[in-house]
Structure formats: structure tokens, C-alpha cells
Amino acid sequence: MSKNLGITRRTGLAMALWTGVALTLPMSAQASVSFEGETIEWIIPFSPGGGSDTWARFNAPFLQKYLPGNPTVVVVNEPGGGSTKGANLYAARAKPDGLQLLGTSGSTQFPYLLNDPRVRYDYQDWKVVMASPTGGVVYTTPATGVTAPEEIGKLADQKLTYASQGATSLDLVPLLAFEAMGLDARHVFGFQGRSDGRIAFERGEVNIDYQTSSAYISNVQPLVEAGQAVPLFSWGALDEDGVLVRDPTFPDLPHFGEAYETLTGQPAEGPEFDAYFAFFAAGFPAQKLVVVPSETPDEIVAAYEAAFEAMKADPEYQSAKEAVLGTYEQVTGPQAQTLFERGTTIAPELRDQVVEMLAGEYGVRLGE
Amino acid sequence: MRLSYPIAHGGGDGRRLVAAIPRIAAVADTLINALATLLTFQHMLYMLLGVSVGLTVGVIPGLGGIAGLSLLVPFLYGMDEVSALAMLIGLVAVIPTSDTFSSVLMGIPGSSASQATVLDGFPLARQGQAARALSAAFVSSMLGGLFGALVLTGFVVIARPLILMFGSAELFMLTLFGLSMVAVLAGRSLAKGLAACVVGLLIGSIGGSPATGEFRMIMGFDYLYDGIPLVVVGLGFFAIPEIADLLRRNAAIAEGSALGSGWGQGLRDWWRNVFLSLRCSGLGCMIGAIPGLGGSVVDWIAYGHAVQSTKTDPKFGQGDIRGVVAPESANNAMQGGALLPTMLFGIPGSGSMAVFLGGMVLLGIEPGPAMVGADLDITYSVIWSLAIANVMGAGICLMLAQPIARLTRVPFQVLAPFMIALICFAAFQATRDLADLVALLALGVLGVLMKRFGWPRPALLIGYVLAPQAETYFYQAVQFYDWGFVTRPGVIILALLTVASVVLGLRNRVDETGSAGSVEAGGTDRQRLPQVLFAVAIGLFFLWALRDALGHSFLGMIFPASAAVIGLAMIALLLPQLVTAAPGHKARFDAELAVTPDQGLAGMWGGIGWIAALVAGSAVLGFYAALLLFFPAFLLLRARTRLVPAALMTASAAGVVLLLAWALSLNFPYGLAQEHMALPWPFS
């Protein structure tokens, strides 16, 4: 932790990196915007203590440190309606003055993509200032006979059980993934979080599961070493052009597209793959987004982007980030824009296809 | 210790358990080192900070670990791990200690972990024995906390396989065991008790169904999609009826002349029941350690155990000190138990633990098997912190017990606006929505009526708290094991325990209707009409719930529909008793019939009217502006204080609420005024 770093070394490092970052940024934006004496509210549409809240509380002090004028940044929780309530409130109230940010999550993107009747916000009205990607690994038990990722084909005609948080939650991604792969997976709903699902795996109640990267490393890796779990594939990451690539945290594991090809013998394409891909993008590479109203002046957005870039060089940030963000880097600018577009748009026919599938196979009636 | 039923790939846990045993010597060494590291001035200072914040947020109903954490997070940066953990543990450990103040003194559950304490703690306060109840509660809390730390020390290394033994089938049986407490809490009439429990089960199943995500009984309100929050239910059913009742009397909370023998007697009471306290600590610890049951039933289970195991002179519901000792021992011990799944699996066993988990992540500590491996020193500093914080918290509370108990001597009409403001503030902590206040008021009206007609509110609360778990785990158990789950050994053991609990419970029942219960209820047809109408109204609610349920798919419908059918059966049993049975029948009860004009009681709905006025004001002007009007109006018109004291009290209340809102970065719910114009904070 931070106590291991000498003060002088830390400051030196920070200054060096800060100079590097500052040089690459438009200086005019820095000069014209100042939040001095202001209070910035960072709206989190979730309860305190959860992933999004922890993420915002982790970032807030650094934002405070690196925004021009050092404003007070407070995290305001507006939970409810699976995050639709807070996002609705933000859509109705926020002004384009940079004093209110919204931190969204996959659970905010999904109802929007599915046209949930509770949604009264539109991502088209917002501009992204930062995107925080995440990833995860799907694994199974050796009882299925699978001993390595290449043997995923052995799952083809087995009965699989998955502990799900609900068909319209983030667990829609594994649901669509298994569907696209043609796996015979039964989704048992009502779990409270991924750690809840992992414990069901350890109890032997389910035989396929996924964990986000940092939870996978600390909790599933020991199971893999003890011969009680076998990794299958990572969800993968998106490169700067929005193309699916291997997750840099797990370079030795195939990504979903590769696993799909191994299992089906078909190239990763077609309507079912595309439907999966839309929700995957919203749930992982673009899971957490910081947005402001579209009319927000460019120099304010630039000031935020500069602050987010500058904080990455802070040694305090670096020492604590892995537990909060996993091994992924928060991004701004064109890269964030790519993720934002991937994570908040879906072709109408793909949406209908998913909504029909959910209604037909899982009895999901949105908002009823 | 090998698991005796088939588990596909759990074999390694048994091996790990055996491998753990030779490590005990090394573990003891780590344990001592952790204590030595912790006992420095700096670490203790941070712990004291955490304890102080924990005590403060515990005292204020509705605020808990979540609010405390947001106050402490700014300090976390740059702190070393041991100090930060000491501070966080200090915070979560003492909340169930200090939440007792409002449960005992005002009848307002200070947090969900102290609801059962109200049942006997508040009657004690009204008898002028607040200091006695408080000191017995605090020393019980301390023992519970220390017990929890002790169990944690012994079990943390071997707890993994034990926790993994509880699958969804066993968890379902545990919820049934929890529901068996209804037998104890059913009051005079079992039919009423079960019907009340069904009302709770139905309220608890409002919102998304766990199996299908279908939204049930939402009536088109966005608010109901997530169900009604626990804080709102607890305050609506317990705090509002008490406030309404006290406002009728226009006297202080304590009826007796003196404050009663002080904390010395409380300590002696506790010592006389020390084995009860230990048993309840054990119960609390176990329930906390099993992930999935949740912390909000532990106090009820401990309370139920106290009632079941008491043979001599039970006065439960009317001020039995054992009804305070039991839940207070259990709720502190629970925190120790709840740390096990939190640290070993990253599964928070209670609301405070979710917050602690968030804090750990911010410190860069990832929960998991490493907590009993490479990071064992962290685990042990957590355990020591837990023990020390519990002693600190109980000590501070004991010192404060005597002076704070004097609050019960204050004329209630002066205290009332503070309490009304407090519960409204607490209620909208739940989702920070005006609808929280509306729901609070609606449930409060139901609570007042239930109190009047002798319907047991604790039975309702147990149903409410356990409804989601019962439904989820049952569905999951059938999915995973099919109906074969009933033959699992754990399930059979828990089933036997449940049966024993029901049998014991039916023998010893709590009667919280108290002395008024002896009234011969309803001589004439006219006099018995109100209670008959109330039972009919509840029956209509069951019918409506049944109709709503039948509109859903099988998996979404089966739980609420079954509950509603049972409820209707109970109403069918109850109605003939109410209509035709002789006066004095145990089912018949109407507290209003005991009211005589010479008692000088004000109208039954006066207090509710004032709360309704504050809620309506908030809907128009926003909460803060409404509060500024409500205070002077109440003090001048209702309490008839003079202008200057009214102004001073308004200013102090306004200041405290403002300070809290600022510290918690809280926006008050919007009223109509805010929809139409931009107002500065705190009016915005």
C-alpha cells in the first residue's frame, strides 16, 4: 500500500507523469475553467456500499484534487428502480454547467437498451467524459469432464446450471452468451450478486459461473489451482476500434469469440452473436460511464477529461486502483466515445429479438 | 467433518480443513502479533473516531452503517490498513449498541437489528425504568460483541467448509425456522397472528418476483417496483402507533414517579440472565455467519428464544427485562458472525457488512481465501478491533444511559415534533423519495389500527422480513435438488428444530396488548362493528393480492397466491369468532372500548393528522421548508409553548437536520414548489 512508497519518490513520480499528461492536453481548456468554491455532485443511482458507489467514492477525491479550482466533489446516492430512478432524476434536473455528473452502470444501460417503460432518460442527450471498462472469466467444474479451455466442446450436450441475478440484470450477458453458443444452460434466478453465485458454485449447486476479473483472481484462481474449477474463456475487451480482442488481464485465455468458434465451428457472427455483443459491450467494456448533459460546453468536458487523465499518474490512485477497478484502465476522449457508442446503441431488430426471446423462454415482461 | 451429502466438487474443502489444524500454533502467534500492532495510540484514536461515529448514527433511527461509512470514507485515504480497519470495525460494531437508545426510550426501532428490543424495552421506559433497561441492554451488547469476536477467532480458519454446508435447501429451512417465531409472537389469537404474518408476507412480496422478475402488486407506482423498504415498514408499524398513542395522553413517556433504580439493577438483571445472554449471543453469531438470512431477523429469533425458554413469571410484551437482554446480546454477536462470510467469500451478511466490504475494497483488500492465508494478520486485527470496539461502545453508552434516560421525563408534546421529524428524516433515508413518507404514513395508519384491534405487529414484521428469502430459497432449492431436497440431512435437522420451536412457541406466547387486553371487548353489535370491519378489510386485501397474483406466471404467482389463500382461511376462522363468540373471547379486542371519558384522552387520529400534515407540506414545499413550518405550528398550536421556546426549538431542529443533510450530502425530496422554481439548498 501507499505507506511503502517514499514520499519523495512518490512526488517525483507524480510530477514526472503529470508533466507528461499536461503537455498532451489543450492548455486553453485548463485556463478558462475553474470550479473554485463549487460543490460538484456525482449522482450514483445505486445504494452505498455497492460496486458503483465504491467506484465513485474511489474516484471522487482524485477528481477533487485534479479539477481546476479544487471543488468539493460529493457522491450522492439516488438508488431505486434498478438505477432507473436516479438516471431519470438526472435527466430531468441536471444543467449543462458541469456541476452534476451521473455515474451509470450496465444496469442503467440494459433497461435503456431493452426499452423498459421505467426509462425516461436517453443516452443521446448525454456526453461521455470517462468510461471505466471491466471484464470477467467464465469457468466450469472439472466434473463436466472439461480440463482446459480448448475442451469447451465437451459442454455441448451437457446440462448446465447457472446462478443468475435475473434475466434483465447484468447476467443477461451470460444468458445471451450461452444461448448464442447453443449450450443447454438453465438459469436459476434470485441470486443477490456474483459472489452469491460463486458460493453456489463452490457448494456444487451450479456447474458454470463467471466472476469479474478481480474477484476471479482472488477467489476462483485458488479453486483452479486446487483442481476444483476450470476456466473456459474471458468475455474479452474492445480495442480502440471497437473490435473484440483478448482481455489483457488474461492473455492466455480465449475470448468469447474464440470460444464460440471452438464450440460451434462457425465464425463469430450472425444475429444471435450480434445480440450478445450489444449487451456485452454495455455490460463490460462500457460498464461504468461518467456522463454530463450534451449541451455542456467543450471546455468543461475537457477539464474533466484532463482531471481523469491526471489522476491516473497519482501514486495513491495506482496503489488502490486494482481492488476497485480490477486491472483495467479508465479511459477518456475518443476511446471513451467508442465505448459509449458501443454500449448505448442497439439495432431495433436485435432489441426485438432479445425482448421476444426473454418473453418466450423466461416469461420476462418488461415493466409489467 | 467431511460433508455427508454429495457435492460435485467440494472435496477440497475437507482436505483444507484437515490441513488447517496443524496451523493453530502459527495462528496463535499471528493473533498475538495483531493485538500488539493494534494497541498503539494512533490506531486506538482512529477506532475511537469510528466508535463515536457509529454511536451517533446508531442513535438516530434510520441511519446506520451506510450513513456512517459515507462520513468516514474521506478519512480512509492515506491511512494505513490497521488504523482504517479499526475505524471501520469501530463503526459497524457499536451501531447495534447505541440503537437501543431510541428503541427503549421512544419505542422507535433504532435500526433493523433492534426492533424486538422495542417490545419490552419501551414498556420498561414507560414504567420509569429506562435506565435499568438501557444498562441491561448495553452490558448484553458488550457480552454479545465479545462472544462474536471469540467465535470469529476460533472459527475463521475452519469456517469455509461450514458455511458451504448451507445450500439453498438449508437456507429455505432456516427461513421457515425464522417464520416459526410467529407462533411465539402471535398474541392472544393464533388466527389473528397468522393473518398478520400473511399481511407481512404479502407486503414483502411487493415488487419484482425473484424467479421471473415480474412486478407484483405495484399498482403502477414506480416506487413499489423495489418493494417497500424495511426502514419504512419498521417505523410505520412500531414508531407511528406509539407516537400517536403518546400524543393522546399529553404526558411524559415515563409514567412512574422516579426514573427507577438506575443502571446497577440493569447489571444485576443481566447477571441473573447471563446464560440467556450467552445462548442468544451464540444464536446471533450463527445466524450472522450464515450468508443469506440477513440481520433483520436475528433479534426476533433471539426474542422468540427468550420467550420459549422462560419458565418463571413471564411478562413479555409488558416490560420483561429478558426481552431486552436476548435481542441485544444477539444483535452485537451477529456482527462477529457476519464478518465470516464477508471476509471469506465477499458476501455481506448484513447491511453494515455491505458497507464494511465497500470500505475494504477502497483500502485495496480483496476478500477471499487469502484472508485466512496470506492476509491472516488483517483478519486478526479485525477481530481484535471488534472486541475492543464493543467494550468501548458499551462503556460510553453506559455512561450516557442515566442522563439520556431523563428524556422520558420530558412532556411528550414537546418531544413529539422532534420525534416526528426524526422518523420522517429516517424514513426517507430509505430511497430518498417523497413516496417513502407516503408509505410511512399509510403503514402507520395500518399500524395504529392493528394496535387498536390487537393484531400482533411483530408477526407481520417477521413475515415481511422473511418473505423474499422464503420465496427465493424455496424456488432455488426445487430448481437445484428437485423435491428431493427434503431428504437432505441439514434440511431434516432444521425441520425438527422448527417443529420444536412451534410447539414451544404455542405454549408460551407474548401478549403485547398488555393490561388493556383484559377488557371485555365488544358487548353490543355496534361496539364490535369496528373490529369486524377491520378484519373484513384485511380479508379484502388478501382477495386483491390473490387476484393480482393470478395475473402472473406460475413461478411468479405461487408464493403470494399461497400466502393469500392461507390468509383468507385465517380470516374465515376469525370472522365467526368476532361476530358470534361470547364477549371476552380471546379473538376479540378493541382497545378503544377501554377508553373512558374521564381519562382525558385526545382523539385517536390527532397524532396521525400532524404527521400527515408534515408529509403533505413536504409534497408541496419540499421537506425542509415544510419542517420549518411544522415545528412552530405544532409547538404553538398543539403543545402550547410560548413563542421564544418554540422559536429556539425550531431553530435547533432545523440546525440539526441541516447538519445531518450536509454531512451525508443529502438532497431532500422535491415538492411541487421545487418542480416549478429553482431554490437554493437545502430547499432545493
Side-chain angles (χ1 to χ4, degrees):
Chain A
M1 297 229 32
S2 59
K3 63 184 169 190
N4 300 330
L5 269 170
I7 272 291
T8 45
R9 208 180 114 207
R10 181 200 302 188
T11 340
L13 188 68
M15 278 170 66
L17 286 163
W18 166 240
T19 322
V21 169
L23 284 174
T24 62
L25 291 165
M27 296 305 284
S28 59
Q30 291 279 307
S32 60
V33 176
S34 174
F35 292 110
E36 201 172 340
E38 303 277 11
T39 297
I40 291 172
E41 290 188 345
W42 189 344
I43 312 287
I44 292 298
F46 298 92
S47 308
S52 289
D53 179 66
T54 309
W55 166 70
R57 287 180 195 276
F58 167 74
N59 277 297
F62 296 107
L63 207 49
Q64 182 160 329
K65 189 169 168 188
Y66 291 108
L67 275 176
N70 305 105
T72 309
V73 180
V74 293
V75 175
V76 178
N77 301 88
E78 298 272 8
S83 86
T84 56
K85 182 193 149 196
N88 285 338
L89 285 177
Y90 185 81
R93 293 178 187 172
K95 293 183 200 63
D97 54 9
L99 296 182
Q100 277 199 318
L101 307 173
L102 176 68
T104 74
S105 159
S107 318
T108 327
Q109 274 92 264
F110 281 16
Y112 171 78
L113 294 175
L114 290 168
N115 257 358
D116 188 305
R118 287 175 291 174
V119 170
R120 291 186 286 277
Y121 50 87
D122 189 341
Y123 278 88
Q124 302 302 313
D125 298 338
W126 294 335
K127 215 181 316 195
V128 63
V129 293
M130 187 266 267
S132 185
T134 184
V137 175
V138 178
Y139 58 98
T140 185
T141 148
T144 54
V146 177
T147 58
E150 309 81 75
E151 299 176 9
I152 190 171
K154 289 186 183 170
L155 292 181
D157 33 51
Q158 297 204 35
K159 287 213 177 304
L160 300 175
T161 313
Y162 177 80
S164 170
Q165 301 168 76
T168 56
S169 73
L170 272 179
D171 283 338
L172 176 58
V173 175
L175 191 151
L176 292 170
F178 302 153
E179 190 88 8
M181 288 175 143
L183 293 175
D184 178 15
R186 185 170 48 151
H187 296 261
V188 176
F189 299 110
F191 282 83
Q192 295 299 316
R194 287 310 330 138
S195 49
D196 212 12
R198 188 183 66 239
I199 209 174
F201 178 87
E202 290 193 50
R203 288 193 302 241
E205 291 182 332
V206 302
N207 53 12
I208 192 162
D209 185 50
Y210 98 84
Q211 295 290 316
T212 53
S213 303
S214 49
Y216 177 83
I217 292 168
S218 57
N219 283 290
V220 184
Q221 210 70 277
L223 296 181
V224 173
E225 282 152 24
Q228 295 173 40
V230 182
L232 292 172
F233 55 87
S234 77
W235 295 120
L238 295 185
D239 69 7
E240 281 162 33
D241 305 318
V243 176
L244 182 65
V245 293
R246 282 194 177 190
D247 188 324
T249 317
F250 305 101
D252 299 333
L253 277 183
H255 61 64
F256 172 74
E258 297 172 73
Y260 180 93
E261 287 177 22
T262 311
L263 186 71
T264 62
Q266 309 285 325
E269 57 190 31
E272 288 200 318
F273 182 82
D274 292 343
Y276 156 80
F277 197 80
F279 286 92
F280 152 72
F284 291 96
Q287 188 186 65
K288 303 225 189 303
L289 302 169
V290 180
V291 298
V292 292
S294 297
E295 310 83 57
T296 310
D298 286 341
E299 55 269 25
I300 292 182
V301 175
Y304 272 105
E305 289 175 338
F308 277 117
E309 287 302 328
M311 74 165 73
K312 288 188 202 168
D314 193 305
E316 291 250 359
Y317 173 94
Q318 291 180 333
S319 70
K321 80 164 205 173
E322 189 146 331
V324 182
L325 305 172
T327 40
Y328 305 88
E329 199 56 87
Q330 307 194 110
V331 296
T332 59
Q335 227 178 327
Q337 186 58 32
T338 307
L339 295 180
F340 178 79
E341 282 163 19
R342 289 283 171 161
T344 60
T345 44
I346 185 170
E349 62 276 11
L350 286 181
R351 167 190 310 161
D352 295 345
Q353 177 191 326
V354 172
V355 169
E356 272 167 37
M357 188 274 295
L358 286 177
E361 293 183 30
Y362 298 96
V364 173
R365 284 174 288 177
L366 288 166
E368 278 178 37
Chain B
M1 201 54 73
R2 270 285 298 172
L3 307 182
S4 50
Y5 38 80
I7 276 204
H9 48 269
D13 290 312
R15 287 197 298 278
R16 200 175 303 151
L17 180 60
V18 175
I21 293 165
R23 278 171 49 203
I24 284 176
V27 163
D29 198 39
T30 317
L31 184 68
I32 305 296
N33 284 338
L35 177 65
T37 318
L38 186 64
L39 286 177
T40 67
F41 180 70
Q42 188 206 356
H43 296 153
M44 286 293 117
L45 200 67
Y46 276 112
M47 185 189 288
L48 188 65
L49 174 68
V51 167
S52 316
V53 172
L55 291 176
T56 313
V57 297
V59 164
I60 301 169
L63 297 188
I66 287 173
L69 182 82
S70 44
L71 292 173
L72 289 183
V73 158
F75 296 93
L76 281 183
Y77 285 90
M79 274 173 79
D80 71 281
E81 275 174 10
V82 178
S83 290
L85 286 171
M87 183 173 82
L88 289 177
I89 286 290
L91 168 78
V92 295
V94 300
I95 290 169
T97 309
S98 70
D99 63 1
T100 313
F101 277 116
S102 65
S103 303
V104 167
L105 297 179
M106 303 179 184
I108 300 178
S111 77
S112 58
S114 269
Q115 280 162 342
T117 311
V118 174
L119 244 52
D120 282 291
F122 189 55
L124 282 167
R126 297 191 65 173
Q127 291 156 23
Q129 304 188 39
R132 172 189 170 204
L134 285 176
S135 54
F138 296 142
V139 67
S140 304
S141 291
M142 187 172 78
L143 180 86
L146 290 175
F147 189 89
L150 190 72
V151 168
L152 204 55
T153 312
F155 278 87
V156 70
V157 184
I158 57 162
R160 257 184 96 82
L162 295 180
I163 290 177
L164 286 174
M165 285 170 68
F166 284 86
S168 45
E170 287 76 17
L171 289 172
F172 169 67
M173 291 312 294
L174 269 176
T175 60
L176 281 193
F177 177 71
L179 282 171
S180 75
M181 293 302 156
V182 169
V184 175
L185 297 162
R188 290 146 62 84
S189 154
L190 196 60
K192 261 187 193 175
L194 289 175
C197 177
V198 170
V199 175
L201 288 172
L202 290 173
I203 294 179
S205 51
I206 292 175
S209 115
T212 63
E214 289 164 278
F215 293 104
R216 300 179 298 209
M217 294 185 270
I218 50 171
M219 298 176 278
F221 295 113
D222 279 7
Y223 177 74
L224 294 178
Y225 274 73
D226 295 335
I228 301 177
L230 173 63
V231 181
V232 174
V233 174
L235 291 173
F237 282 108
F238 287 98
I240 290 200
E242 294 311 335
I243 292 177
D245 198 39
L246 287 165
L247 269 177
R248 298 178 76 183
R249 292 176 205 282
N250 279 337
I253 289 175
E255 286 161 346
S257 49
L259 264 178
S261 29
W263 57 275
Q265 195 190 337
L267 295 184
R268 283 195 296 279
D269 283 327
W270 167 76
W271 181 245
R272 221 172 293 135
N273 295 296
V274 66
F275 288 107
L276 175 70
S277 182
L278 275 172
R279 287 199 308 273
C280 290
S281 301
L283 261 177
C285 221
M286 263 173 359
I287 294 164
I290 299 164
L293 203 57
S296 21
V297 281
V298 65
D299 51 335
W300 291 111
I301 291 180
Y303 185 86
H305 171 71
V307 180
Q308 289 166 346
S309 62
T310 293
K311 289 183 188 68
T312 51
D313 188 28
K315 282 196 307 227
F316 288 97
Q318 294 148 46
D320 195 312
I321 197 74
R322 289 164 290 200
V324 174
V325 169
E328 288 304 314
S329 307
N331 62 17
N332 280 67
M334 185 201 71
Q335 302 285 19
L339 275 168
L340 285 172
T342 309
M343 294 195 299
L344 295 178
F345 295 97
I347 297 181
S350 70
S352 309
M353 284 302 139
V355 167
F356 179 68
L357 196 61
M360 273 173 68
V361 171
L362 283 178
L363 287 170
I365 306 169
E366 179 86 33
M371 297 304 294
V372 287
D375 293 337
L376 192 66
D377 53 328
I378 296 181
T379 306
Y380 279 130
S381 69
V382 163
I383 294 173
W384 282 115
S385 303
L386 182 70
I388 298 171
N390 266 293
V391 176
M392 259 189 203
I396 295 174
C397 285
L398 272 174
M399 284 191 289
L400 295 175
Q402 193 92 16
I404 292 186
R406 296 216 179 92
L407 268 182
T408 55
R409 315 288 313 157
V410 177
F412 189 71
Q413 56 271 43
V414 177
L415 213 53
F418 289 94
M419 283 175 60
I420 293 173
L422 200 60
I423 58 165
C424 289
F425 185 82
F428 75 64
Q429 293 304 308
T431 69
R432 303 190 170 179
D433 195 314
L434 185 67
D436 285 324
L437 296 182
V438 178
L440 174 75
L441 187 65
L443 296 181
V445 170
L446 184 56
V448 167
L449 291 171
M450 286 181 73
K451 188 174 154 116
R452 170 176 168 178
F453 298 121
W455 286 60
R457 292 165 287 159
L460 181 149
L461 206 72
I462 292 218
Y464 164 81
V465 169
L466 289 174
Q469 282 102 325
E471 181 176 11
T472 306
Y473 293 135
F474 180 69
Y475 151 76
Q476 289 177 353
V478 174
Q479 290 284 311
F480 287 139
Y481 307 103
D482 225 323
W483 286 96
F485 82 83
V486 293
T487 60
R488 289 166 64 93
V491 170
I492 293 171
I493 294 171
L494 287 165
L496 292 174
L497 273 176
T498 306
V499 171
S501 161
V502 171
V503 171
L504 281 171
L506 290 178
R507 223 184 292 157
N508 266 354
R509 248 186 272 163
V510 185
D511 187 3
E512 50 147 2
T513 47
S515 52
S518 60
V519 173
E520 223 172 65
T524 66
D525 286 351
R526 214 183 135 69
Q527 281 175 322
R528 70 173 70 151
L529 188 63
Q531 49 180 319
V532 172
L533 285 180
F534 183 70
V536 170
I538 297 287
L540 289 175
F541 168 67
F542 291 159
L543 274 178
W544 171 78
L546 184 61
R547 201 180 136 245
D548 180 272
L550 294 178
H552 295 290
S553 67
F554 176 77
L555 284 176
M557 158 278 259
I558 186 72
F559 180 80
S562 315
V565 168
I566 295 173
L568 284 168
M570 291 303 128
I571 295 288
L573 271 174
L574 188 60
L575 271 180
Q577 294 177 348
L578 291 180
V579 175
T580 60
H585 187 277
K586 61 180 169 30
R588 293 170 80 167
F589 184 86
D590 186 346
E592 287 306 295
L593 296 177
V595 175
T596 51
D598 57 295
Q599 284 171 294
L601 288 187
M604 180 178 167
W605 297 106
I608 293 281
W610 280 103
I611 299 171
L614 179 58
V615 175
S618 306
V620 178
L621 300 170
F623 180 76
Y624 199 70
L627 191 72
L628 291 183
L629 290 178
F630 169 80
F631 251 82
F634 189 97
L635 289 169
L636 295 173
L637 300 175
R638 179 66 174 74
R640 301 203 178 279
T641 51
R642 287 167 194 259
L643 205 55
V644 174
L648 283 176
M649 281 192 268
T650 306
S652 62
V656 169
V657 170
L658 204 59
L659 182 73
L660 278 175
W662 172 79
L664 299 170
S665 47
L666 170 72
N667 287 332
F668 294 111
Y670 271 30
L672 282 176
Q674 284 80 4
E675 299 283 349
H676 295 287
M677 60 187 115
L679 293 168
W681 192 85
F683 298 102
S684 66

